[in-house]
Amino acid sequence: MDPRRRSDQTSESSGRGRGRGRGRGRGGERERGEAPGGPAQPRPPPISYASSPRAAGPSNPPFQPQQPRPPTHAPSLTSGQMVSAPPRPPPPVAASQPPSVAAEVLAVQMEKTTISSAPSSSKAILPPRRPGKGTIGRPYMVFANHFKVDLRRDIVIYHYDVSIRPEISSRGRSRKVVAELVRLNRETSLGGRLPAYDGRRSLYTAGKLPFSSKEFDVKVIDDEGTPSSREKDYKVAVKFASTADIHHLMRFLSGQQLDIPQEAIQALDVVLRSSPCENFHPLGRSFFHGDGATVLGEGTTCWRGHFQSIRPIHMGLSLNIDLTATPYFEAIPVIQFVRQYLYVDSSRPFSSDQHRKVEKVLKKVKVEVTYGENYHRRYVIKGLTRERTKDLSFADDQGHRTTVVQYFMERYRMRIDFVEWPSLIVGNKNQIWLPMETCKIVEGQRYTHKLTEKQVTAMLKATCQRPTDRQNNILKVVKSNNYGNDKYAKEFGITVSNSLTSCPARVLPAPCLKYHDLGDEKECVPSVGQWNMIRKKMINGGSVQHWACVNFSRVDTAMAQRFSGELIKMCINIGMNFEVKPVIPLRSQNPATMERTLVQLHNEAQNILRKNSAMLQLLIVILPENSSIFYGKLKRLCETELDIVSQCCKPKHAFRISPQYLENVALKINVKVGGRNTVLVDALQRRLPIVTGDPTIIFGADVTHPSPGEDSSPSIAAVVASQDWPQIAKYRGLVSAQAHRREIIDDLYNVTEKGAGGMIRELLISFRRETGHKPGRILFYRDGVSEGQFAEVLLDEMQAIRKACASLEEGYLPRVTFVVVQKRHHTRLFPANKGRDSTDRSGNILPGTVVDTVICHPTEFDFYLCSHAGIQGTSRPTHYHVLYDDNGFSADQLQLLTNNLCYTYVSSVVCQLPFDYVKYARCTRSVSIVPPAYYAHLMAFRARYYLDTDSSDGSTESSASTGRSVRPLPPLMEHVKREMFYC
């Protein structure tokens, strides 16, 4: 199982909690250049450095002066000394200005710089062509779940537009209408053709129909389960729209034309989806069935299925097939669902919160009645009554007043027991009340709400498969679908291979990591994607002089004190400078008083520290047992109001103290207070390709969207950027709310009445402040973009990057490389050989495996990289696709740099297995996605906690539905925003 996908939102100590924040050295006196236990270290001599002529631009105060870089190696210390986070380098200043004033002057100058005209583009930017194949690394063979597709070259696909009246919203019913049309007219009006229909407006044929436009009358039986089924008349208009020439597709696949013939690929995809749509429940590009469904609890069940999509790749066309699963409502009585969902056994009245939760989860769910002559009649739930069932009454046909309870007893001899609960509101024109006991949930409805931790665990347990098992099950799907005898494939001359695609791959070498010279091991080369902290010390240990601990769990105070003491000891052992005694003695409090307790603790600490002009640097929190309720509130309060960096821990770890767990938390704490755990030796020695040849800032960006079912919450955009070139280990970040489900990041660059602004501009200024250099190169890793959004994202966001740079200095145009990072795809790689030199301990492909041929894009610069070792299930490689490259990366350079960065993630990887216990990795591991993109994802997820309660539960309207502007997120506090608090 991929560790990145198992984030624990309720505990940062898991090492996977998703949050957001900044990174900057904190370290108390160490920021003034003095290491604890020793004198201040001498400032290194200036390093001669010439920036790229292209990056230099004309003279302009904000970006003109160049200053020495901070030291590239940890300072040598005498025995017994520890190194702190390095002091911030002096920013560029005029000779007459003292360094302490210069940074502020620089910031003000940059923020006030007038906006210059920025280059813009009115047409889409074409992605760069592949610069050649990579050669670095040990070669070996892998299998990919891509199946070669061959086409008859003489086939011309005709596209027809379909219009059905009266209009139908359901794709399933639309397919039924068109299927009936084909059944009645195939041999006559359709000229013997077998059309493929997408369920909306597009119909495809392998040859021309005898007409260009025609209207058909179709009668379909309404068999929604009602006893009074009746025929319904539809008028179906079929009109010629265009042709999809296979010749153009072949030219694209061979690299003879650059624009992809999207219509031809879409037509072929519809053809191969036609049979599965008849045999399974279609959902997007996946097809599900309820056979052998696994109960997840709380009224849900896990349906299994398969994903399929036709793709143009280097070897031609392929059908990508993968296993998939998704939660569905369990087909059980509504009463049973509600009792499981709320964990209640009695029929006591709903609280207002219970009423809201049940109404939200049941709205739009289809139910069927289980009584009388209307047995199996189906309705869609519109809501719940505000009144209890026993209080509902209506006038019957004779005008007599009667209650709902009496009606069911007299009419159907059915006793209603749950009279204290509300009834379901159904019906379109006339509102109908149905007691919950009279209805059952209809099978085959997807559950779109957020799963609980127990449901997620059950889902993972049901779907987690070792690579060999997954590979065999995919082959079973291909055999079951029997594409060789598929009537639609035969009609269109399509042949699908039954064999996995064999791909040449390479295993990139792991980078050498640098640790502190005081440790017994000063350098380390990871083995199979993992290493440990034994005999090592952090290269830059952070400093924590003022901290506190609060316990909201049932762990007794003595045990909580022992836990915090062991944690502090671990921090010291691996290289931090940590004051053993807290500012305020540990206190245990009721979680119901959490907000008041935190405010009081903060005020008390500030009263004590104010005389030393200090502030609380770290708050360690032992969460309550039901931590999911309190975690978000705690983070929002600490980071947007109290200005405290916090580290949360689950109570079970205080009960059972594990050295591996403490080590992982210590690594997280170190980066949260401004330290570095490790850096790449190649970064220190200026050997990273392209990046260390010129001051380079590495961005990561992501947009997270509300959970399914949240129709009005805003999307959250996050951008992080490296701040410590050339080490590239610290990242500062910014977040912004934007319109519901909008993928383009709006706030990369903006202009307001206050002047130029935006996240890119602010992070460029921050980089100059911290390093003394203006970036000559920008490497932008963009997460979360689907292929259909490539052109729009590239055009809008590249333009924003250029405008942000131009606003800082006239003519400032750093070289930019824009890389999309895709994790949510369905390509899986399996080792062709099962020997030790081809697999890791879990049976997955080796970490560092890269594939840049066969299954990649026919002409563009992309590759699949599996940078992590598998732990559970089948590893998912990350797909990197270069959309813009000013820096001229070769395939080897970008692949090696990306893989190396994956070893610099801030803490040990922690994975939660799909069982009843949690196992922590006993070593530090590389991660599955490049850290800047990973950090941006964590930060965007954390910022969702900053939304108010109404917004987070979906009751606040967004600009997507009302046209009003999105409410901005509360700003991060100044102390917090300097740190990588989101880790």
Side-chain angles (χ1 to χ4, degrees):
M1 184 189 62
D2 180 4
R4 182 200 174 208
R5 292 297 169 208
R6 286 300 310 123
S7 64
D8 186 346
Q9 301 173 11
T10 62
S11 172
E12 290 190 344
S13 56
S14 69
R16 279 328 215 191
R18 298 187 173 186
R20 286 282 148 9
R22 319 282 165 116
R24 184 53 232 143
R26 184 131 78 236
E29 292 183 333
R30 293 155 75 163
E31 292 214 357
R32 294 193 291 273
E34 181 174 295
Q41 300 303 309
R43 192 177 300 280
I47 300 173
S48 175
Y49 182 77
S51 61
S52 164
R54 174 176 180 169
S59 176
N60 199 350
F63 264 0
Q64 179 189 6
Q66 294 288 334
Q67 286 290 331
R69 285 189 297 266
T72 58
H73 293 276
S76 58
L77 301 177
T78 59
S79 178
Q81 286 182 312
M82 294 300 299
V83 67
S84 67
R88 300 182 183 182
V93 296
S96 60
Q97 291 179 317
S100 60
V101 178
E104 298 304 322
V105 172
L106 173 66
V108 171
Q109 286 176 334
M110 294 177 77
E111 288 165 3
K112 291 184 177 181
T113 303
T114 56
I115 304 166
S116 304
S117 59
S120 61
S121 175
S122 59
K123 59 182 180 179
I125 308 170
L126 290 177
R129 294 179 71 90
R130 189 180 304 281
K133 302 175 184 178
T135 59
I136 295 176
R138 176 175 63 84
Y140 78 124
M141 297 301 294
V142 298
F143 289 128
N145 59 337
H146 287 250
F147 298 84
K148 185 171 176 56
V149 174
D150 291 314
L151 305 174
R152 276 176 44 192
R153 301 289 181 107
D154 60 337
I155 289 290
V156 177
I157 299 177
Y158 284 76
H159 175 204
Y160 291 85
D161 184 75
V162 175
S163 175
I164 302 176
R165 292 181 291 120
E167 189 173 341
I168 303 174
S169 59
S170 165
R171 281 197 178 193
R173 178 156 293 279
S174 296
R175 287 192 178 99
K176 185 173 182 179
V177 171
V178 173
E180 181 67 9
L181 182 153
V182 173
R183 186 184 71 82
L184 296 173
N185 300 279
R186 179 180 178 184
E187 300 302 330
T188 55
S189 299
L190 299 182
R193 305 289 184 190
L194 178 63
Y197 176 53
D198 73 347
R200 291 298 188 199
R201 297 187 62 89
S202 294
L203 183 142
Y204 300 95
T205 59
K208 192 174 182 180
L209 293 177
F211 56 85
S212 59
S213 179
K214 189 169 184 176
E215 186 171 89
F216 297 84
D217 292 320
V218 180
K219 295 181 182 291
V220 175
I221 298 176
D222 185 358
D223 60 349
E224 284 292 313
T226 62
S228 55
S229 297
R230 59 186 178 85
E231 284 188 335
K232 190 168 184 179
D233 295 330
Y234 293 95
K235 289 189 178 296
V236 182
V238 179
K239 183 180 180 181
F240 173 75
S242 62
T243 59
D245 194 341
I246 299 301
H247 174 68
H248 293 159
L249 176 59
M250 296 305 173
R251 285 179 55 82
F252 170 76
L253 293 173
S254 62
Q256 295 177 335
Q257 72 178 53
L258 295 179
D259 56 315
I260 181 170
Q262 193 62 50
E263 187 174 13
I265 293 175
Q266 180 180 339
L268 296 173
D269 198 50
V270 170
V271 171
L272 290 178
R273 287 168 49 83
S274 295
S275 288
C277 282
E278 295 175 356
N279 302 323
F280 303 99
H281 286 259
L283 185 63
R285 294 183 179 272
S286 298
F287 306 91
F288 296 95
H289 58 84
D291 300 338
T294 302
V295 174
L296 302 179
E298 300 183 28
T300 60
T301 184
C302 172
W303 283 29
R304 293 172 177 82
H306 73 276
F307 166 94
Q308 74 171 48
S309 175
I310 196 164
R311 298 181 58 80
I313 58 174
H314 197 270
M315 71 172 184
L317 281 177
S318 81
L319 189 64
N320 180 206
I321 298 180
D322 191 24
L323 304 180
T324 186
T326 196
Y328 274 70
F329 281 95
E330 195 174 359
I332 56 177
V334 174
I335 281 289
Q336 184 179 343
F337 173 85
V338 173
R339 294 175 74 170
Q340 291 183 19
Y341 187 72
L342 294 179
Y343 289 96
V344 295
D345 293 323
S346 66
S347 59
R348 288 183 296 183
F350 281 5
S351 66
S352 59
D353 184 58
Q354 288 175 326
H355 188 283
R356 179 185 59 81
K357 289 175 63 177
V358 172
E359 184 173 50
K360 182 178 179 181
V361 75
L362 286 180
K363 199 169 185 179
K364 299 182 181 180
V365 171
K366 188 178 294 184
V367 295
E368 60 184 16
V369 299
T370 57
Y371 61 88
E373 69 273 11
N374 290 325
Y375 189 66
H376 287 323
R377 186 180 182 94
R378 294 180 176 181
Y379 297 95
V380 175
I381 298 175
K382 306 296 184 182
L384 299 184
T385 60
R386 302 305 302 177
E387 302 87 353
R388 295 171 296 183
T389 297
K390 70 178 184 181
D391 298 329
L392 295 173
S393 64
F394 64 97
D396 61 17
D397 295 338
Q398 287 74 37
H400 299 172
R401 204 75 189 170
T402 183
T403 66
V404 169
V405 175
Q406 290 172 338
Y407 175 80
F408 276 91
M409 175 58 72
E410 295 171 0
R411 179 74 180 269
Y412 302 107
R413 296 299 176 189
M414 184 176 185
R415 178 178 173 179
I416 305 300
D417 293 322
F418 287 77
V419 295
E420 298 290 341
W421 286 12
S423 288
L424 306 176
I425 301 175
V426 301
N428 292 323
K429 296 180 180 179
N430 299 318
Q431 193 175 95
I432 301 173
W433 298 328
L434 294 177
M436 294 184 185
E437 291 159 89
T438 65
C439 300
K440 178 184 177 181
I441 295 175
V442 174
E443 186 182 39
Q445 298 180 83
R446 188 187 178 201
Y447 184 85
T448 59
H449 302 273
K450 186 176 181 180
L451 298 179
T452 63
E453 287 187 21
K454 289 184 178 180
Q455 289 172 322
V456 170
T457 301
M459 185 106 173
L460 290 172
K461 186 175 181 179
T463 59
C464 188
Q465 299 183 56
R466 293 180 64 84
T468 302
D469 296 334
R470 192 181 193 99
Q471 178 179 339
N472 292 335
N473 287 330
I474 289 173
L475 291 172
K476 288 179 182 178
V477 169
V478 175
K479 183 178 180 181
S480 174
N481 287 351
N482 195 13
Y483 294 105
N485 292 320
D486 183 276
K487 60 184 180 181
Y488 293 97
K490 285 184 174 181
E491 173 79 10
F492 285 80
I494 301 173
T495 305
V496 181
S497 170
N498 291 325
S499 302
L500 295 162
T501 297
S502 180
C503 305
R506 292 170 288 116
V507 182
L508 300 179
C512 184
L513 304 176
K514 174 65 177 174
Y515 285 92
H516 198 274
D517 289 341
L518 289 182
D520 293 334
E521 290 190 15
K522 301 172 181 60
E523 293 183 356
C524 169
V525 178
S527 174
V528 197
Q530 60 188 37
W531 66 104
N532 58 51
M533 286 293 294
I534 298 174
R535 304 173 64 200
K536 301 179 186 67
K537 294 187 182 294
M538 301 165 178
I539 188 167
N540 299 129
S543 177
V544 179
Q545 302 301 316
H546 314 298
W547 64 280
C549 180
V550 60
N551 171 32
F552 290 113
S553 72
R554 289 195 291 267
V555 175
D556 63 66
T557 302
M559 189 173 292
Q561 287 176 332
R562 178 172 172 266
F563 170 77
S564 64
E566 291 296 323
L567 178 58
I568 303 313
K569 188 183 299 183
M570 177 62 73
C571 291
I572 295 172
N573 288 343
I574 63 175
M576 290 186 68
N577 176 37
F578 216 117
E579 171 59 44
V580 176
K581 185 178 179 181
V583 175
I584 298 173
L586 183 145
R587 58 182 63 177
S588 298
Q589 297 289 336
N590 188 320
T593 65
M594 183 194 69
E595 295 192 28
R596 184 170 69 250
T597 298
L598 293 178
V599 171
Q600 290 176 349
L601 184 147
H602 173 261
N603 292 338
E604 290 178 26
Q606 290 308 105
N607 289 336
I608 295 172
L609 299 173
R610 188 174 290 113
K611 58 184 178 182
N612 296 325
S613 299
M615 62 186 305
L616 197 63
Q617 294 173 279
L618 177 68
L619 178 64
I620 299 172
V621 181
I622 302 177
L623 293 167
E625 282 68 18
N626 189 11
S627 55
S628 59
I629 299 176
F630 298 96
Y631 180 81
K633 293 181 179 179
L634 184 145
K635 290 298 182 181
R636 175 169 49 83
L637 184 64
C638 288
E639 293 159 7
T640 66
E641 296 182 32
L642 301 181
D643 206 4
I644 304 174
V645 172
S646 59
Q647 176 61 53
C648 297
C649 306
K650 283 189 172 181
K652 61 183 176 183
H653 302 303
F655 277 115
R656 187 179 67 250
I657 298 176
S658 162
Q660 289 79 31
Y661 173 80
L662 294 178
E663 181 182 285
N664 178 66
V665 177
L667 292 171
K668 290 163 64 63
I669 289 175
N670 185 54
V671 297
K672 287 185 177 185
V673 297
R676 295 188 188 92
N677 295 336
T678 185
V679 297
L680 299 170
V681 169
D682 283 351
L684 295 176
Q685 297 180 359
R686 304 294 184 85
R687 293 201 303 254
L688 286 179
I690 300 216
V691 169
T692 48
D694 207 5
T696 302
I697 183 169
I698 300 181
F699 285 93
D702 190 20
V703 178
T704 63
H705 303 291
S707 302
E710 298 288 351
D711 297 330
S712 58
S713 296
S715 294
I716 306 293
V719 180
V720 304
S722 59
Q723 300 289 293
D724 60 342
W725 181 84
Q727 289 88 347
I728 315 174
K730 289 186 178 183
Y731 293 82
R732 182 172 180 168
L734 298 168
V735 290
S736 175
Q738 57 187 48
H740 179 73
R741 298 210 167 271
R742 175 166 171 76
E743 185 57 48
I744 307 299
I745 301 178
D746 292 328
D747 202 29
L748 290 180
Y749 175 77
N750 58 49
V751 180
T752 66
E753 62 276 3
K754 297 180 180 179
M759 294 188 280
I760 295 292
R761 190 177 194 274
E762 185 172 338
L763 290 170
L764 287 171
I765 293 173
S766 177
F767 179 92
R768 178 60 182 265
R769 231 191 236 124
E770 302 297 330
T771 66
H773 297 278
K774 66 178 179 182
R777 304 181 191 271
I778 293 175
L779 178 52
F780 198 94
Y781 286 105
R782 177 65 158 89
D783 194 8
V785 181
S786 65
E787 292 179 357
Q789 299 169 316
F790 278 4
E792 184 182 8
V793 167
L794 177 62
L795 183 61
D796 289 3
E797 297 186 3
M798 268 300 302
Q799 190 175 57
I801 292 170
R802 290 301 192 197
K803 286 182 177 180
C805 294
S807 73
L808 292 169
E809 180 178 285
E810 184 179 353
Y812 176 51
L813 291 173
R815 297 179 174 93
V816 179
T817 298
F818 194 105
V819 184
V820 167
V821 182
Q822 293 178 303
K823 194 69 179 177
R824 293 184 179 180
H825 59 80
H826 286 271
T827 293
R828 298 293 184 275
L829 302 176
F830 307 98
N833 302 311
K834 309 303 179 185
R836 290 186 176 180
D837 61 342
S838 300
T839 65
D840 59 20
R841 293 176 60 184
S842 67
N844 280 289
I845 56 175
L846 294 169
T849 296
V850 63
V851 173
D852 60 0
T853 60
V854 183
I855 60 170
C856 294
H857 193 278
T859 59
E860 295 174 7
F861 187 4
D862 71 327
F863 57 91
Y864 290 92
L865 171 65
C866 183
S867 54
H868 66 295
I871 300 176
Q872 191 79 9
T874 304
S875 297
R876 186 196 319 234
T878 299
H879 184 222
Y880 297 90
H881 198 129
V882 181
L883 300 188
Y884 190 85
D885 184 25
D886 244 356
N887 290 294
F889 276 98
S890 69
D892 279 327
Q893 287 175 329
L894 187 59
Q895 292 166 10
L896 200 61
L897 173 63
T898 302
N899 186 61
N900 289 353
L901 289 175
C902 290
Y903 287 78
T904 64
Y905 184 72
V906 299
S907 66
S908 301
V909 171
V910 183
C911 64
Q912 183 173 338
L913 302 186
F915 304 109
D916 294 333
Y917 62 93
V918 176
K919 178 179 179 182
Y920 288 93
R922 297 187 177 183
C923 54
T924 312
R925 310 172 71 95
S926 57
V927 291
S928 62
I929 185 171
V930 68
Y934 199 159
Y935 294 147
H937 180 82
L938 294 176
M939 193 167 184
F941 197 92
R942 171 67 62 82
R944 192 155 295 282
Y945 291 126
Y946 303 159
L947 299 171
D948 57 41
T949 305
D950 290 339
S951 177
S952 61
D953 69 13
S955 60
T956 299
E957 293 182 323
S958 75
S959 60
S961 59
T962 67
R964 295 179 301 182
S965 60
V966 177
R967 182 184 304 174
L969 295 170
L972 292 167
M973 302 301 288
E974 287 302 317
H975 182 61
V976 167
K977 71 189 298 185
R978 293 197 300 266
E979 313 300 339
M980 294 177 69
F981 67 91
Y982 48 85
C983 296

